Amino acid sequence: MAFDFDLLMKKGAEVAEAAKRTAVDLADKGKKQVDLVNEQAKLAKAQRQLGALVYSLAKNGEENQPLVDKYIQAIADIEAAIEELKAEGVEVEEPVEEPIVVDVVEEPAAEPADEPKPNTCPQCHAEVQEDALFCNQCGAQL
Ligand SMILES: [Zn+2]
């Protein structure tokens, strides 16, 4: 039986068209709202990273005030951007906490080859966390 390439291409075009429409809708609904959501996600990420950094420093009895300051500055910048958007009347609904769903389907263990390579700092090539804002070694912005 011949594979129906025409149908496949048509389906693909439909999907692409739908994605394009969704993107346009989003733009219509307000790019600012998207900006605000993005900034709030960035804020949560930076706060999480700062928490992880402070925890690891405290646990190891170390200090790295310059790096902590960088995170605090980055968080202050994001907060300022959020305040600016809110001052313009941009609102987003508070994210609803997702209920915890117990997954009964056993996921097959990922092949080690599929693991993403750990990110490295472009400055000092130290291993850095995937969503770290700054290198823990040299403080370079990532
Ligand atoms: Zn570095």
Side-chain angles (χ1 to χ4, degrees), residues 3-21:
F3 191 75
D4 193 342
F5 253 109
D6 284 346
L7 182 67
L8 184 71
M9 295 307 278
K10 211 174 134 226
K11 283 278 172 216
E14 276 169 17
V15 170
E17 196 53 46
K20 220 157 72 186
R21 271 202 305 275

Side-chain angles (χ1 to χ4, degrees), residues 77-95:
D77 288 347
I78 298 165
E79 280 177 340
I82 289 173
E83 285 312 309
E84 211 170 292
L85 285 166
K86 283 185 173 170
E88 291 175 39
V90 184
E91 295 266 1
V92 288
E93 284 170 35
E94 289 295 317

Side-chain angles (χ1 to χ4, degrees), residues 121-126 128 135-140 142:
C121 169
Q123 292 282 337
C124 69
H125 305 289
V128 292
C135 170
N136 277 7
Q137 286 297 322
C138 72
L142 302 172

